[in-house]
Amino acid sequence: ILSRPKLFEQILGLDPQHHASLYNIAKIRNEQEKFSEAVRYAKDALALNEGNYWYYRELVTSYEGML
């Protein structure tokens, strides 16, 4: 059974611009308290879909975790 991050990483291997996978990895990294990794994934998701509120929210959560 694949772990959630691995599944999303496999999707990114097929489609590197799959912003939903980038967002989900950011969300998982925040849950794991790996905030610097979460920032990177959230920023990448936002670069591909700038109008998505939830992607901005996840980025804010990442930065808040770093405080």
Side-chain angles (χ1 to χ4, degrees):
I1 297 174
L2 290 172
S3 66
R4 290 186 308 155
K6 294 263 189 235
L7 176 64
F8 293 120
E9 288 167 4
Q10 282 191 343
I11 293 169
L12 289 172
L14 298 171
D15 180 4
Q17 295 189 340
H18 195 265
H19 52 85
S21 289
L22 292 164
Y23 162 77
N24 280 297
I25 293 173
K27 192 166 185 61
I28 291 165
R29 294 298 181 243
N30 277 329
E31 291 170 4
Q32 296 171 333
E33 298 184 359
K34 296 179 179 179
F35 301 114
S36 59
E37 287 182 39
V39 165
R40 183 171 54 88
Y41 283 105
K43 282 184 173 182
D44 289 348
L46 273 169
L48 295 169
N49 188 350
E50 295 176 355
N52 191 309
Y53 166 83
W54 296 106
Y55 296 2
Y56 280 103
R57 186 66 205 124
E58 204 60 40
L59 182 60
V60 168
T61 299
S62 303
Y63 282 130
E64 287 175 342
M66 296 173 83
L67 297 176

